[in-house]
Amino acid sequence: MGGTVTPTLTTLEILGITVMGDVDTATESFVLARSGLSQGQSITLPGDNALAEAIRNIYRLGLFSDVQILEERRVGNGVFLAIQVEEVPKLNDYTFTGIKKSHRRDLEKEVPLIKRSAVKPDNIERSRQIITSYFVEKGHPLVSVEAERMEVADGEIDVRFIVDRGPTVEVEAIEIEGNDSVSGRKLRKQMKGTKKDAWWRFFKKASFDEAEFNEDKDNILAYYNEQGYFDARIVSDSVYYRGLEDGKPEMVVQLRVAEGPQYHIRNIEWEGNTLYTDEFLTSALGLEEGEVYNSKKLQQNLYQNAKSSDVSSLYMNRGYMTFQVDDNINIVEGDSLDLFFDVFEGDVYTIGSIEIAGNRQTRDHVVRRELYTIPGRRFSRDEIQESIRRLMQLNYFTQESLGAGPGVDVDPENKQVNLSYNLEESGSSQLQLSGTWGRFGLVLQLGFAFNNFSTRELFRGGLKRFPIGDGQQLSINIQTNGRFYQQYSLSFTEPWFRNKPQPVGFSTSFSRIARNTFSTFNTFEDDGRYLATLTGRVFYQRRLKWPDDKFSTSSSVRYQFYDNNNLFTTLPNGISQELALIQSLTRNSTDHPFFPTAGSKLNLSGELALPLGDFIQYFKGTFNTSWNIPLAANGKLSAGFSSDFGFIASLTGEDVAFERYIVGGSPFETQGSFTFFGGDIIYMRGYPAGALGPRSNGEPLGGRILNKYTSELRFNAVQTQQLSAAPYIFMDAANTWNGPKSYNPTELFRSAGIGTRLFLPILGMIELTYGYNFDQFEALNSRHDGSNRWYFQFTLGQGFGQ
């Protein structure tokens, strides 16, 4: 007769505890303390939970690979215990074989190994997995990694990772089966991360990534749903290799889909809606009975679209903060769908408190005056988004802090929404230091642009900090090469005059150029000829509420004084004066002043130089547009298109001596340039300053009619507090003509190339371009001979598009 023998349990008192193993006195004391066992404690043998817990506690130290508690001996009703431990070896060093130095640097940042620290077997295995995944992502799915341990001293080991990357394996074929209604080409187009190898995809390997492949499968199903295939599914998927025998392995991706029928909408019903009628909500939904079902259109028009015309926005912009809608889709009669929407409108909420944090320099009132979210006002999702856009236009705060939007705290009891704007400031002041060399020698420029200035702080007694924080703009600029050329300029803008969004300001500048020639001793001498200019301008702007709140007007008066003492033949000799009235209408909906990815900007302006006595007279009309189209959901990729049109005409019939369009060059090229006074410089990539348009004695004269077109494909690569960078590809076309008789809009000078915009808090905008001119022109100087060639341009403090 057999059976299970139950061990006899005995209660004993711990008489003593020792630690066995190669450990020092400090570690021994640590182990005893961590075990939780103590002399005089009662335990039950065998199998007391206190012993198991003691082993777990010691293991958690991470210092030992093996822990046992042994019974040394019993004395009466007591027992002596021994804790036997085996220390985890410490890592002396780890190395890699079979990989490049760049790969080694990358892996050293990822593997969880630290020299002189304990290294467990799972640390080594985790490192091996990381190395394997690293090379799989780089197109080596057949990689093998072995970890070799070598003892180098008592308690220390070296670990060597032996890596055999294997051949590069790319996706050579994507095979899709079961797609009777939708072509394989269209389905493969939906696979953004999994692409097959092609000769033109030289910029990226067609490697396989499982995570991206799973996303691609979702993209395929989403595309089917957009086409009305409501119950389409992926039946199976697989990946296999071919060509292993030849040593040239290729990867093949296979998918089998089940399309199902294409569904049409039979009925659309709403329930629970009282604010809007069924017909109105169905119209906002954008779907009609009888048309093909489109899941993407349904989701966008139900929850959020770019125009805020979706059903959710209709409610949330009317204060219904807790609005919800549940959509139920039922299959009926084989290939028809009934759409049923259960609406919960909830209560109308108002804006409660508005908290602002993170603005260490910018004062609260500068932030609050840009917000459309005002305490007591009815909640609106659109007004939150517009507030974020207005704050971005200030360029005081990082895009990351604004892009997250404000924190939202819903107070159901008081029917309020409390908002908190957590900001992170970026540098708004800029230092401009540059130099250029021209026919008059070296010209140096020093400029300061304070874009968040505070006159109140400046004139406050006992100035304790730098005068910033009130949102005013102050710019000071000096250009000089000594006694032959000096230019000084000062400008100031108060963006909220009398606590209203109506900027006022002024600008003034003075310059003097003296003729310099080389003497027999190769030194510069003044021959008495000079040009002195003085300009002053005051302006007033005002935001409008109609047609919408993105419109603004600007009115300004400008006075210019010229004294040309036989220096330039292209300008009238003697004293010339001008008094001009300028009026403009602008609409700006861009999401960022320097790196826009969405929105547009339009400007229509007219400039009238009054025919007062001997004053210069003319009329100038200008129309500028720019459009930005986001091409990626994350805002990184966008396209930009702009156009500039202008014309200059005489008011009295006399020749217009000033104000011509000078086309070509960069802002850097025209710094310290003395031949373009009285001209409106239109920058263009790929061509040097003044290269395009009419000439006079070989020198740029400029035209009176302007056409310019620009297109860009931009990638917002970096947007941080320390640096913003956006590389781009561009195509430009422009020209200027002397008058209507010579005007031909098809005669354009074209260029294309690459460039990048950089914004540094101290230096401001830096732009570099490398452009190719497709059309030849008459050479101006040795920097460009006018032939078709690549031309590098650089600008500091101002971009080409500004």
Side-chain angles (χ1 to χ4, degrees):
M1 181 176 179
T4 302
V5 178
T6 302
T8 302
L9 301 178
T10 306
T11 300
L12 300 170
E13 179 185 351
I14 299 177
L15 300 176
I17 309 172
T18 60
V19 177
M20 301 172 60
D22 188 14
V23 295
D24 55 27
T25 303
T27 304
E28 181 178 343
S29 300
F30 194 41
V31 170
L32 289 173
R34 191 58 181 264
S35 71
L37 301 176
S38 60
Q39 188 173 342
Q41 178 180 346
S42 295
I43 59 174
T44 301
L45 295 180
D48 195 294
N49 288 334
L51 301 180
E53 183 64 24
I55 293 174
R56 285 193 290 268
N57 289 339
I58 297 171
Y59 262 124
R60 290 191 186 105
L61 294 174
L63 301 175
F64 308 104
S65 60
D66 186 41
V67 179
Q68 299 181 50
I69 297 180
L70 307 176
E71 179 184 328
E72 283 193 316
R73 66 184 187 278
R74 295 188 186 187
V75 179
N77 293 327
V79 64
F80 287 90
L81 300 179
I83 303 175
Q84 183 171 310
V85 295
E86 182 178 338
E87 279 194 300
V88 173
K90 292 184 179 179
L91 180 64
N92 176 62
D93 196 8
Y94 65 93
T95 56
F96 304 91
T97 62
I99 65 175
K100 299 178 182 178
K101 184 180 295 185
S102 59
H103 295 158
R104 177 178 57 80
R105 287 194 295 263
D106 292 342
L107 291 171
E108 286 175 347
K109 300 174 184 178
E110 301 294 331
V111 296
L113 299 177
I114 303 175
K115 296 179 181 180
R116 302 294 182 267
S117 298
V119 56
K120 300 179 184 178
D122 58 335
N123 296 138
I124 298 176
E125 176 58 24
R126 176 60 182 151
S127 299
R128 195 187 67 81
Q129 293 173 359
I130 289 173
I131 298 169
T132 301
S133 299
Y134 175 83
F135 285 105
V136 168
E137 292 177 3
K138 290 190 171 294
H140 298 273
L142 302 178
V143 61
S144 67
V145 181
E146 294 183 9
E148 186 179 87
R149 295 164 48 117
M150 298 165 289
E151 292 189 9
V152 294
D154 290 341
E156 290 191 355
I157 63 169
D158 280 351
V159 179
R160 180 191 301 157
F161 294 100
I162 305 171
V163 182
D164 181 3
R165 293 180 298 169
T168 301
V169 182
E170 299 188 71
V171 178
E172 291 296 328
I174 301 176
E175 300 174 351
I176 302 177
E177 300 176 352
N179 53 314
D180 299 326
S181 303
V182 181
S183 69
R185 182 183 64 83
K186 289 183 178 179
L187 295 180
R188 284 188 287 269
K189 191 175 180 180
Q190 310 311 312
M191 303 176 72
K192 307 301 181 182
T194 309
K195 299 289 186 181
K196 68 177 183 177
D197 187 28
W199 64 268
W200 51 268
R201 300 189 80 252
F202 58 88
F203 52 89
K204 184 179 179 181
K205 293 181 180 179
S207 54
F208 178 82
D209 184 277
E210 186 172 358
E212 292 182 344
F213 181 53
N214 290 330
E215 291 181 7
D216 290 337
K217 289 187 290 185
D218 293 337
N219 293 338
I220 289 176
L221 293 180
Y223 181 76
Y224 265 117
N225 290 164
E226 291 175 34
Q227 310 306 312
Y229 296 91
F230 176 68
D231 52 7
R233 66 187 190 280
I234 294 178
V235 178
S236 63
D237 63 85
S238 62
V239 177
Y240 70 90
Y241 301 98
R242 65 188 183 193
L244 291 172
E245 312 82 22
D246 303 331
K248 297 180 180 180
E250 300 174 346
M251 181 178 289
V252 179
V253 177
Q254 286 186 328
L255 287 171
R256 176 175 288 276
V257 300
E259 296 179 331
Q262 187 181 46
Y263 287 91
H264 293 71
I265 299 172
R266 191 182 73 166
N267 294 317
I268 301 176
E269 297 182 11
W270 301 85
E271 185 174 313
N273 51 303
T274 60
L275 181 64
Y276 298 109
T277 65
D278 292 3
E279 293 75 16
F280 185 85
L281 293 179
T282 299
S283 175
L285 193 65
L287 298 175
E288 297 180 358
E289 296 177 357
E291 72 173 90
V292 174
Y293 170 76
N294 186 324
S295 63
K296 183 177 181 180
K297 190 176 182 180
L298 170 66
Q299 295 299 312
Q300 288 181 343
N301 291 342
L302 192 60
Y303 297 109
Q304 188 166 11
N305 59 33
K307 298 180 180 179
S308 293
S309 60
D310 56 281
V311 174
S312 294
S313 293
L314 291 175
Y315 277 95
M316 299 193 78
N317 290 335
R318 293 285 297 272
Y320 291 87
M321 171 65 188
T322 57
F323 166 80
Q324 293 180 357
V325 56
D326 295 328
D327 56 298
N328 298 287
I329 304 174
N330 301 313
I331 300 175
V332 291
E333 298 184 1
D335 62 351
S336 296
L337 298 175
D338 283 348
L339 309 184
F340 177 78
F341 302 98
D342 188 7
V343 174
F344 172 75
E345 295 179 333
D347 298 313
V348 175
Y349 280 67
T350 58
I351 301 295
S353 63
I354 303 290
E355 294 185 3
I356 300 172
N359 53 319
R360 294 173 299 170
Q361 297 178 346
T362 306
R363 301 183 185 275
D364 280 6
H365 74 89
V366 175
V367 178
R368 292 186 184 277
R369 68 193 186 189
E370 299 295 337
L371 301 181
Y372 277 54
T373 52
I374 300 173
R377 180 180 289 184
R378 189 171 57 188
F379 174 83
S380 170
R381 185 165 67 183
D382 274 4
E383 290 186 350
I384 291 179
Q385 294 173 345
E386 180 61 19
S387 298
I388 295 298
R389 193 189 72 83
R390 294 280 186 182
L391 291 177
M392 282 189 174
Q393 286 291 325
L394 293 177
N395 200 36
Y396 297 162
F397 311 106
T398 63
Q399 284 189 301
E400 290 80 5
S401 63
L402 293 174
V408 178
D409 178 28
V410 180
D411 182 1
E413 183 177 349
N414 296 313
K415 302 297 184 294
Q416 289 184 338
V417 180
N418 302 316
L419 302 177
S420 57
Y421 291 86
N422 298 307
L423 309 173
E424 181 182 2
E425 288 188 309
S426 59
S428 56
S429 299
Q430 301 167 20
L431 167 66
Q432 300 173 10
L433 179 63
S434 62
T436 184
W437 181 270
R439 57 186 287 192
F440 293 93
L442 178 65
V443 177
L444 300 177
Q445 173 178 320
L446 175 64
F448 299 94
F450 305 104
N451 296 323
N452 193 4
F453 196 70
S454 173
T455 54
R456 175 175 55 178
E457 193 72 28
L458 179 65
F459 295 108
R460 177 177 294 177
L463 187 63
K464 296 181 179 179
R465 68 168 194 165
F466 194 79
I468 57 175
D470 279 335
Q472 299 161 343
Q473 289 94 50
L474 174 67
S475 177
I476 304 172
N477 192 279
I478 301 172
Q479 294 185 41
T480 182
N481 78 333
R483 59 175 178 162
F484 297 108
Y485 175 68
Q486 304 93 34
Q487 178 170 314
Y488 312 94
S489 63
L490 171 69
S491 66
F492 175 80
T493 301
E494 168 54 74
W496 281 68
F497 180 61
R498 304 179 70 176
N499 294 321
K500 293 182 180 180
Q502 44 191 26
V504 298
F506 70 89
S507 63
T508 182
S509 65
F510 171 80
S511 67
R512 187 180 188 279
I513 307 167
R515 179 68 174 178
N516 56 345
T517 58
F518 281 108
S519 72
T520 56
F521 298 102
N522 291 330
T523 58
F524 291 113
E525 292 184 352
D526 191 343
D527 63 3
R529 290 180 289 173
Y530 67 87
L531 170 67
T533 66
L534 174 67
T535 301
R537 173 176 173 262
V538 293
F539 65 89
Y540 167 78
Q541 298 178 16
R542 184 165 62 93
R543 293 183 189 175
L544 304 179
K545 296 182 179 180
W546 187 89
D548 62 32
D549 57 5
K550 296 178 179 60
F551 277 89
S552 64
T553 63
S554 175
S555 304
S556 61
V557 179
R558 186 185 67 220
Y559 171 76
Q560 295 191 90
F561 172 91
Y562 297 87
D563 183 4
N564 181 26
N565 185 9
N566 299 306
L567 185 61
F568 291 119
T569 59
T570 56
L571 299 179
N573 199 40
I575 294 177
S576 301
Q577 299 181 78
E578 170 193 312
L579 182 64
L581 307 178
I582 307 167
Q583 184 69 41
S584 67
L585 177 67
T586 302
R587 185 183 189 276
N588 185 0
S589 64
T590 56
D591 58 354
H592 195 276
F594 298 136
F595 300 92
T597 60
S600 62
K601 186 175 182 179
L602 296 88
N603 177 266
L604 177 64
S605 68
E607 183 174 331
L608 181 67
L610 301 176
L612 304 174
D614 294 333
F615 277 41
I616 302 165
Q617 58 79 34
Y618 63 85
F619 172 78
K620 184 200 302 188
T622 304
F623 180 59
N624 314 109
T625 66
S626 64
W627 303 84
N628 303 281
I629 304 171
L631 301 179
N634 60 5
K636 292 288 187 180
L637 190 66
S638 64
F641 305 92
S642 67
S643 60
D644 298 88
F645 304 97
F647 72 95
I648 301 170
S650 172
L651 295 173
T652 62
E654 298 178 359
D655 186 42
V656 178
F658 285 78
E659 288 300 327
R660 288 174 174 262
Y661 296 109
I662 309 294
V663 182
S666 68
F668 183 79
E669 291 175 78
T670 56
Q671 290 176 5
S673 180
F674 316 127
T675 59
F676 300 148
F677 281 98
D680 191 349
I681 301 176
I682 308 299
Y683 305 119
M684 185 173 177
R685 294 165 289 201
Y687 293 87
L692 309 184
R695 304 279 182 93
S696 176
N697 298 322
E699 294 293 328
L701 176 64
R704 296 195 179 102
I705 299 178
L706 169 72
N707 285 10
K708 182 185 177 185
Y709 309 92
T710 296
S711 61
E712 292 181 349
L713 179 64
R714 317 184 192 103
F715 177 62
N716 280 5
V718 180
Q719 294 290 328
T720 66
Q721 184 177 1
Q722 295 77 23
L723 170 67
S724 296
Y728 60 80
I729 302 172
F730 75 87
M731 293 183 66
D732 291 350
N735 202 1
T736 181
W737 298 265
N738 198 44
K741 293 183 179 180
S742 60
Y743 175 63
N744 184 348
T746 63
E747 293 180 351
L748 297 173
F749 289 83
R750 302 158 298 162
S751 65
I754 58 176
T756 185
R757 293 187 182 92
L758 306 173
F759 187 88
L760 300 173
I762 298 298
L763 297 179
M765 178 67 73
I766 301 174
E767 190 162 353
L768 304 94
T769 67
Y770 197 48
Y772 183 84
N773 61 296
F774 292 102
D775 301 287
Q776 298 183 10
F777 59 92
E778 183 182 348
L780 280 172
N781 50 51
S782 59
R783 294 184 60 188
H784 199 307
D785 60 6
S787 63
N788 304 118
R789 51 170 284 193
W790 289 92
Y791 185 58
F792 176 76
Q793 291 166 292
F794 166 83
T795 182
L796 177 65
Q798 182 181 359
F800 282 89
Q802 299 176 293

